[in-house]
Amino acid sequence: MTSTRQRLSGYAVVVLALALLGGLYTAVGAPKTKAQDPVDQSIAVKEGRQLYLQGCSTCHGLNLEGGAGGPSLVGVGASAVVFQVESGRMPLAAGASQAIRKPSKYEGAQVDQLAAFVQSYGGGPTLPAGRLDDGELALGGDLFRTNCSSCHNFAGVGGALSRNKYAPDLTPASARVIYTAMQTGPENMPRFSDNTLTPDEKRAITRYVRYVTNESENPGGAALGRFGPVSEGLTVFLVGIGLCIVLTLWIGARA
Amino acid sequence: MSNDSIRERLKASEETVETAEVSHGEHPVGDPTHSTHHSYHADLRNDPKRQKSAERAIATLFLLSVVGVVGFCATYVFWPFEFGEDGYEYYTPALGAFMALALLGIGAGAVLWAKTLMVDDETIQERHHLASADEDKVAAAAILKEGLEDTGLARRSLLRNSLLLGGLSLGALPVPLLFSLGRYQHKERALATTGWKQGSRLLDELGRPVKLGDLEVGGVKSVFPDVEGGRRMADSASLLIRMRPEDLKLRESRQEWVVDGHIVYSAICTHLGCPVKLYEQQTHHLFCPCHQSTFDAAAESKVLFGPAARPLPQLAIAVDDEGYFIAQGDFNEPVGPSFWERKPKYPQQPKTDDTNKGH
Amino acid sequence: MASITEKAAAGTGTWVDDRLGSANFVRRSLNKVFPDHWSFMLGEVALYSFIMLLLSGTYLTLFFEGSSREVIYNGSYTPLKGIPMTAAYASTLDLSFDVRGGLIMRQIHHWAALLFMAAIVVHLMRVFFTGAFRKPRELNWVLGVGLLVLGIVEGFAGYSLPDDLLSGTGLRIAYSIALSTPVLGTWVSFLVFGGEYPGGMIIERLYPIHILLVPGIILALISAHMGLVWYQKHTQFRGPGRTENNVVGSRLWPAMATKMVGFNMLVFGVLALLGGLFQINPIWLYGPYDASQVSAGSQPDWYVGFLDGSTRLMPNWELRFWDYTLSPNIILPTQVLPAVLFTLLALYPFIEAKLTGDKGYHNLLERPRDNPVRTGLGAMSISFYLLLLVAGGNDIVATIFHLSINEITYTLRAALFIVPPIVYVITKRFCLSLQRADDALLHHGIESGTIRRLPSGEFVEETVPLPPQYAVLLQTTPERKELAEHNAHRSDGPTPALAGSSPRGFFRPKRSPSDASPEGQKELEG
């Protein structure tokens, strides 16, 4: 054998080995993807992978398999990412009874990229196309009062759950965050699949929540936090009786 | 001082002592003129300039009141009022502000007038002794006694006793009428049954039947019986929950009451009847927002915390041929809060027409 | 001009007097003396709030439909368009969005109810802590407690009328409380609601109860309550010239009457301010009542809150025996507790009289510090009540402060038994030490701030004897009376330099030696 052939055959062996390893890995070791990503999606997935490896893999694993720091993300879907990351709950702050909303670490496009990446690992709920908050307002209110107000309060300002848990104030939540919360059921919130609440119903609820928390006015004056009779009772003593006592002091200023 | 001397000294005198000249002997604690009482009027009595300025202040307040009324009327007519119109949410606050101005103006003006310009010297008035003179008390008692003796009530026991009987029974006359306010027929049965029947489909709040597979694990749905008016029945509202089958901890007889991790509980709190819809997906807790009773939905809704004394009744469900959830019968026990006739134990089987004898 | 009005007034007066003989009554009434202290006007706040309730309530009845007939909403408030609801709720929405001035009248009415109850409570505390309920005014106290209870009932009925989600939840709770009554529970609850809940007619029944029956009784009780104050004359604080047998103050006409009318307008003004600037009971946000819906953070109006608190704190004791169920977890906090509290409250004057053996008339008021046991009991009761009130809002507390609601509940349960006795002891001690301060004042006089050095080298502070008009405030015991007289004679009557000045202050005089005239200063130095 000439040295060229030997060298060539050496390279061939290496290439073959690599191909075999790669083939084995693809066949056995690689996570299964449900669908083939279209070409434009693959860019988002690629970007998303980078973001994931930088910001999430420490707790959720290099292959989204989970670990001591966080659960597996296989199959949670793009919606879970949109909810957790856009509301700033993820990356998780340390030492709280539940994930706290804080300013998001990622911009909108980055959130979508992360979402697309996670979606590529086992699928899961995704956001529908089109507007999320153009549902029927009155229907949304009725559905909100049946499904949501017992945790989040009639005006969405939030409420207490058992132990140290709470249903948060919905005012800062965007339409995307509201919609994906219903889809994914974060932490102790129930999951409302599309057969439990249809996309139209979710849109109606989203519309109502955005309306009541951000657009609705208070035609009666200062809303006192929309907590109900507790703040009203406090006000009648502090403002009402307070003013009346000041007035009696003025009138009866003697003895 | 004895009662006698007080009465002597205060013989029915209601006259006001205009000036405060009282001798030191009668009021040993001091002369009222040197009290802490401060009358603005006294200050202004000899100061026409300050009186004029007080007048001006009072008049200003009254005129401000007029401004308030004018503003109120103008706001009422001209301010945007329709729901959704720009600025409509300030309609009521503006009305309130002007109304307050109108009322506070008159009020403050009147009070200022009284304080500065009206005669307001400290005056003393005697209190009349409240208890009547002995002669009056004796006379009143005597008249009463005489009249009673005249009626013969003391002597005529037949009269007295029959009057007593008649009088007391008269008091009972309105009771039956009051009674008509209620409908009591079969009240225990009414309490022990709901709208759920054997074979009723579970409908959601919009009236659609719920199919196996509609819910994901961790999902909930408010469900109502598939009968006329079922959506509005106050005792029938229930909650369908889906858990992983291995999470459920049920007794033997209730294993057939669930379908693949789907379980239904009455949504009427057993404490005081508030709807229990708050489900914590991870802890499997049902939490009533009214008084914080907490139930373990994975363990037959056992009470974990709070004032509720009994678990939420469980509705036995099954799936029909088309895959829709149905009830196997009514709840096996009365739903909602406790009542006196509620039995300590009920048979552990859904109530169907066969089992439904009496209650 | 003056003569025309004079002639008209005289003419009218004669016309009335010819038929009613009213001149004597008018003379005595206009001349009637009322003691004036700012705290005596707190009951008036309640009275004027009640008048506003009558006025605003009458207006609302012209629009409100007290019916549970189901309608489909078609008014201006679009977020509820097409939703089925009762006519009661729909008419309340109409008042709020389709009647000009409707919303402010609704809000004034509701704020007036809250202020009515708050004023009653504050007034009750004033009467209690000054001992004004003692003989001969025990009956008036009982009437007042009756008004308190009726006010709570009336308020509950009133805010349940719109049939919104919040108040409807409260109605269901009321039904369940009635249901839990031993033996008679099902009878009572089915009687009131006309059958099993919801019954279909509770709104129709609450309406005449709220607009006619209970206001009628309240009006009668208020008239009796004020009539007794008029007849027995108001109590007064100690002061110069004030004895158990007189009333020192201002005559009704013209100053007192003007102030009362003025105060009436001012309280109305406060209610208008509240009604316009602070949103209350936004029923359009709560939604119509639906027995399968509820909101987190559901509370009754503040004056029912203590019962919500007792309910939340109660452990879940229930007894099941033979064929029956007995629920102390419901009966104790919602029926027994208020019955005991209000009965004790109503009987308090008699209990105190019995325990102290005090059978005398009392027209002079005590300062709270002069009766440490009563003040301590009062403070203890208030702390107990406040703890229950806070317990009623425990989920709001948990939500705002991010605390565990379970731990709040456990803490309040313990606090309910630990805090009141501590408050009693502390309050009593505080009263006693205030009394000691008063004693020091009587013994030594006011500290003048002038320090004098004695030849021995010792520094002493000059004190000025308490002027009699202040000393009289402190003479609540025979020993103190003696002491005050002794001091008064020692300095030969009021110190000339200090008489005639007019310091301000509610309970203690505020003076400084620089107020003294040159002669007075010399006296101090002498």
Side-chain angles (χ1 to χ4, degrees):
Chain A
M1 227 186 270
T2 61
S3 57
T4 326
R5 243 205 220 144
Q6 269 181 321
R7 242 182 288 127
L8 274 175
S9 67
Y11 289 147
V13 166
V14 172
V15 169
L16 203 65
L18 281 172
L20 202 64
L21 270 169
L24 275 172
Y25 176 77
T26 312
V28 175
K32 314 242 180 318
T33 53
K34 259 199 181 156
Q36 284 288 73
D37 299 330
V39 175
D40 41 317
Q41 264 291 77
S42 64
I43 301 170
V45 172
K46 257 227 295 271
E47 297 292 324
R49 172 178 277 116
Q50 293 311 309
L51 293 167
Y52 177 84
L53 291 173
Q54 280 166 359
C56 322
S57 56
T58 325
C59 293
H60 289 292
L62 288 170
N63 286 309
L64 283 69
E65 73 276 20
S72 162
L73 296 181
V74 177
V76 297
S79 292
V81 177
V82 170
F83 174 78
Q84 300 285 356
V85 177
E86 194 168 311
S87 71
R89 288 177 165 85
M90 290 289 149
L92 191 62
S97 57
Q98 62 188 65
I100 303 171
R101 161 180 276 279
K102 48 195 187 317
S104 175
K105 210 176 123 185
Y106 301 90
E107 282 155 30
Q110 292 179 315
V111 174
D112 288 331
Q113 287 159 359
L114 262 174
F117 171 69
V118 171
Q119 179 70 18
S120 69
Y121 274 73
T126 57
L127 281 170
R131 289 195 65 91
L132 297 171
D133 58 356
D134 62 350
E136 230 185 284
L137 190 58
L139 173 68
D142 194 28
L143 291 170
F144 181 81
R145 286 186 289 275
T146 297
N147 294 289
C148 323
S149 62
S150 60
C151 297
H152 287 285
N153 151 295
F154 61 91
V157 303
L161 306 179
S162 68
R163 298 289 146 190
N164 231 322
K165 306 187 288 292
Y166 58 95
D169 177 9
L170 300 178
T171 311
S174 67
R176 276 164 44 110
V177 167
I178 297 167
Y179 197 100
T180 52
M182 286 188 276
Q183 281 182 313
T184 61
E187 291 193 83
N188 275 294
M189 177 166 164
R191 291 182 71 180
F192 297 95
S193 68
D194 280 348
N195 287 319
T196 315
L197 284 172
T198 67
D200 276 339
E201 284 159 22
K202 288 203 182 65
R203 272 191 274 265
I205 294 178
T206 307
R207 167 103 195 276
Y208 185 76
V209 173
R210 290 296 305 162
Y211 167 76
V212 80
T213 56
N214 282 273
E215 295 158 29
S216 65
E217 303 91 359
N218 293 303
L224 304 174
R226 289 185 171 180
F227 284 110
V230 171
S231 33
E232 292 162 7
L234 210 61
T235 306
V236 84
F237 272 97
L238 293 179
V239 178
I241 292 287
L243 276 176
C244 286
I245 288 189
V246 167
L247 290 169
T248 60
L249 292 174
W250 176 50
I251 297 172
R254 17 153 141 256
Chain B
M1 291 193 245
S2 74
N3 279 346
D4 286 355
S5 63
I6 295 174
R7 215 175 305 115
E8 265 166 63
R9 293 164 72 232
L10 307 175
K11 254 270 162 27
S13 165
E14 288 261 63
E15 285 309 316
T16 305
V17 179
E18 278 297 325
T19 64
E21 270 181 300
V22 181
S23 80
H24 199 78
E26 206 168 332
H27 294 278
V29 291
D31 189 345
T33 48
H34 287 301
S35 72
T36 54
H37 164 105
H38 180 95
S39 167
Y40 291 101
H41 170 255
D43 285 346
L44 271 57
R45 224 189 308 232
N46 301 315
D47 192 341
K49 211 156 77 165
R50 283 182 70 187
Q51 279 187 29
K52 256 282 165 244
S53 88
E55 258 189 63
R56 274 196 296 273
I58 298 166
T60 312
L61 286 167
F62 288 156
L63 290 174
L64 275 178
S65 180
V66 175
V67 169
V69 175
V70 169
F72 180 87
C73 296
T75 308
Y76 180 91
V77 174
F78 296 113
W79 197 280
F81 162 74
E82 294 287 324
F83 173 75
E85 247 188 307
D86 256 337
Y88 91 98
E89 69 268 27
Y90 299 112
Y91 188 82
T92 299
L95 282 182
F98 282 119
M99 196 193 286
L101 186 64
L103 292 162
L104 293 172
I106 293 261
V111 170
L112 199 58
W113 191 342
K115 278 166 77 96
T116 56
L117 296 178
M118 289 191 190
V119 175
D120 194 10
D121 293 330
E122 199 166 67
T123 338
I124 307 181
Q125 194 168 59
E126 304 295 340
R127 288 182 189 268
H128 53 89
H129 191 65
L130 287 169
S132 312
D134 279 341
E135 311 91 68
D136 294 327
K137 286 197 271 203
V138 165
I143 296 174
L144 193 64
K145 193 154 172 263
E146 209 183 303
L148 273 175
E149 278 171 13
D150 210 21
T151 62
L153 207 61
R155 288 178 289 116
R156 302 177 203 270
S157 53
L158 177 65
L159 215 60
R160 184 181 66 242
N161 295 337
S162 55
L163 173 67
L164 216 63
L165 200 64
L168 285 174
S169 49
L170 196 69
L173 194 63
V175 174
L177 294 171
L178 207 64
F179 205 63
S180 318
L181 285 169
R183 291 196 197 109
Y184 318 94
Q185 220 179 12
H186 309 303
K187 55 182 167 62
E188 285 93 24
R189 171 131 57 92
L191 287 167
T193 54
T194 70
W196 291 100
K197 305 234 175 315
Q198 186 177 25
S200 300
R201 279 193 175 165
L202 273 58
L203 303 182
D204 69 9
E205 66 264 36
L206 297 176
R208 297 177 302 227
V210 184
K211 217 173 181 152
L212 178 62
D214 282 348
L215 270 72
E216 296 171 333
V217 172
V220 295
K221 199 93 190 88
S222 295
V223 289
F224 305 87
D226 185 7
V227 295
E228 170 110 31
R231 170 70 178 84
R232 297 265 165 244
M233 286 182 182
D235 58 1
S236 305
S238 306
L239 194 67
L240 170 66
I241 308 171
R242 182 174 182 183
M243 290 181 234
R244 293 176 312 171
E246 58 268 29
D247 288 334
L248 286 170
K249 300 183 273 288
L250 305 170
R251 73 186 83 175
E252 192 64 47
S253 50
R254 292 205 187 179
Q255 303 284 353
E256 320 159 335
W257 291 19
V258 300
V259 177
D260 191 26
H262 291 77
I263 190 166
V264 175
Y265 292 110
S266 163
I268 311 300
C269 188
T270 53
H271 178 230
L272 289 173
C274 288
V276 183
K277 301 292 197 63
L278 197 164
Y279 177 64
E280 294 175 10
Q281 196 209 129
Q282 287 172 337
T283 59
H284 306 303
H285 288 170
L286 282 164
F287 185 78
C288 184
C290 285
H291 310 104
Q292 293 82 52
S293 297
T294 314
F295 307 90
D296 187 354
E300 298 179 6
S301 129
K302 186 173 81 140
V303 177
L304 298 171
F305 176 82
R310 282 179 295 102
L312 299 168
Q314 184 181 345
L315 187 70
I317 53 170
V319 173
D320 71 8
D321 306 325
E322 293 167 45
Y324 291 105
F325 285 108
I326 52 167
Q328 292 183 32
D330 200 348
F331 289 93
N332 70 311
E333 51 176 333
V335 306
S338 301
F339 49 95
W340 177 250
E341 298 89 334
R342 193 180 207 284
K343 296 209 241 283
K345 265 192 163 57
Y346 286 89
Q348 288 298 311
Q349 56 182 113
K351 236 192 333 260
T352 60
D353 288 331
D354 307 328
T355 61
N356 209 354
K357 293 184 180 71
H359 51 97
Chain C
M1 188 183 67
S3 66
I4 296 181
T5 12
E6 268 179 30
K7 275 208 204 117
T12 321
T14 317
W15 191 92
V16 174
D17 183 67
D18 281 348
R19 289 149 183 78
L20 300 177
S22 44
N24 192 22
F25 172 75
V26 168
R27 179 181 62 83
R28 283 187 298 120
S29 305
L30 297 184
N31 239 4
K32 195 173 177 66
V33 170
F34 288 88
D36 39 18
H37 189 262
W38 65 269
S39 66
F40 297 167
M41 285 186 251
L42 296 171
E44 279 174 55
V45 177
L47 173 69
Y48 302 142
S49 304
F50 184 70
I51 295 175
M52 181 52 99
L53 282 171
L54 291 175
L55 293 171
S56 55
T58 306
Y59 182 81
L60 293 175
T61 60
L62 300 172
F63 298 91
F64 180 72
E65 189 180 333
S67 154
S68 37
R69 176 176 68 93
E70 188 163 291
V71 301
I72 306 288
Y73 182 67
N74 198 22
S76 305
Y77 184 66
T78 43
L80 285 172
K81 227 181 176 86
I83 302 287
M85 55 182 65
T86 54
Y89 186 76
S91 62
T92 313
L93 282 177
D94 290 337
L95 265 169
S96 307
F97 294 103
D98 288 297
V99 173
R100 282 175 186 267
L103 183 59
I104 195 170
M105 290 312 279
R106 267 198 62 225
Q107 300 205 147
I108 289 180
H109 190 72
H110 203 133
W111 280 116
L114 299 193
L115 192 67
F116 178 60
M117 298 309 299
I120 288 181
V121 166
V122 175
H123 169 66
L124 181 155
M125 294 201 290
R126 195 284 292 168
V127 169
F128 180 83
F129 285 113
T130 55
F133 55 82
R134 295 172 295 171
K135 181 172 175 179
R137 295 176 178 81
E138 306 98 316
L139 184 60
N140 225 9
W141 169 268
V142 174
L143 285 176
V145 175
L147 282 168
L148 174 65
V149 173
L150 278 174
I152 295 175
V153 170
E154 174 76 349
F156 178 81
Y159 71 72
S160 302
L161 284 178
D163 199 32
D164 55 273
L165 187 58
L166 182 63
S167 63
T169 308
L171 272 180
R172 180 146 213 182
I173 292 172
Y175 167 83
S176 307
I177 291 172
L179 194 63
S180 71
T181 313
V183 183
L184 297 173
T186 50
W187 298 100
V188 169
S189 52
F190 277 54
L191 190 154
V192 173
F193 282 80
E196 192 191 6
Y197 187 84
M201 47 178 69
I202 189 63
I203 302 294
E204 285 83 348
R205 286 183 179 173
L206 284 176
Y207 193 42
I209 289 174
H210 178 77
I211 68 174
L212 184 63
L213 188 60
V214 180
I217 303 176
I218 291 182
L219 204 54
L221 288 190
I222 289 182
S223 308
H225 192 73
M226 284 174 50
L228 276 174
V229 174
W230 182 275
Y231 179 64
Q232 291 177 324
K233 302 205 204 311
H234 203 283
T235 50
Q236 60 188 355
F237 282 106
R238 289 175 188 278
R242 289 155 168 82
T243 68
E244 286 281 356
N245 303 308
N246 67 10
V247 191
V248 178
S250 318
R251 279 171 297 140
L252 180 59
W253 184 257
M256 205 43 131
T258 312
K259 282 193 208 169
M260 284 179 179
V261 172
F263 191 43
N264 191 346
M265 293 295 116
L266 288 172
V267 172
F268 280 6
V270 170
L271 285 170
L273 218 58
L274 283 170
L277 301 183
F278 296 95
Q279 186 166 275
I280 188 170
N281 203 27
I283 50 121
W284 56 91
L285 293 177
Y286 298 147
Y289 178 64
D290 180 322
S292 68
Q293 295 175 345
V294 73
S295 168
S298 289
Q299 268 86 15
D301 271 6
W302 83 264
Y303 43 86
V304 187
F306 77 104
L307 291 175
D308 197 8
S310 62
T311 309
R312 290 172 192 225
L313 294 183
M314 187 69 199
N316 62 348
W317 301 333
E318 192 166 82
L319 302 164
R320 290 166 218 128
F321 48 90
W322 301 320
D323 274 348
Y324 304 110
T325 303
L326 184 65
S327 308
N329 60 331
I330 301 173
I331 300 166
L332 287 181
T334 61
Q335 296 184 9
V336 173
L337 177 79
V340 168
L341 280 181
F342 287 123
T343 306
L344 279 177
L345 196 61
L347 294 178
Y348 184 79
F350 309 103
I351 298 172
E352 185 182 278
K354 189 81 196 244
L355 291 177
T356 57
D358 184 0
K359 294 206 183 98
Y361 284 89
H362 292 285
N363 296 309
L364 284 175
L365 296 171
E366 293 183 307
R367 293 157 80 201
R369 69 185 67 181
D370 292 324
N371 199 324
V373 172
R374 180 201 302 142
T375 305
L377 284 175
M380 182 174 90
S381 313
I382 292 175
S383 68
F384 183 78
Y385 181 82
L386 282 177
L387 284 169
L388 288 180
L389 210 56
V390 171
N394 62 353
D395 52 353
I396 308 282
V397 173
T399 307
I400 294 180
F401 297 106
H402 283 266
L403 299 167
S404 160
I405 200 167
N406 307 67
E407 277 163 32
I408 295 177
T409 306
Y410 291 135
T411 308
L412 284 170
R413 270 186 195 166
L416 209 57
F417 295 99
I418 297 175
V419 168
I422 295 178
V423 168
Y424 175 79
V425 170
I426 293 177
T427 308
K428 187 170 165 202
R429 292 277 125 210
F430 194 47
C431 287
L432 289 171
S433 69
L434 283 172
Q435 281 187 29
R436 271 196 280 275
D438 287 348
D439 279 340
L441 218 53
L442 273 175
H443 266 101
H444 308 299
I446 312 164
E447 291 161 1
S448 66
T450 307
I451 311 290
R452 190 153 52 134
R453 190 174 186 183
L454 300 177
S456 58
E458 182 188 347
F459 285 104
V460 295
E461 181 167 18
E462 295 275 350
T463 56
V464 176
L466 202 58
Q469 59 260 41
Y470 299 105
V472 75
L473 290 172
L474 306 179
Q475 286 160 30
T476 49
T477 61
E479 298 84 18
R480 284 190 176 173
K481 271 200 175 67
E482 224 181 274
L483 186 65
E485 260 150 48
H486 168 78
N487 283 346
H489 288 126
R490 181 179 62 124
S491 54
D492 214 11
T495 317
L498 303 174
S501 36
S502 59
R504 308 293 165 82
F506 300 135
F507 304 117
R508 293 182 64 122
K510 286 187 248 193
R511 309 183 57 83
S512 72
S514 54
D515 280 350
S517 63
E519 297 94 330
Q521 298 228 348
K522 229 192 312 174
E523 179 136 343
L524 279 173
E525 280 147 33

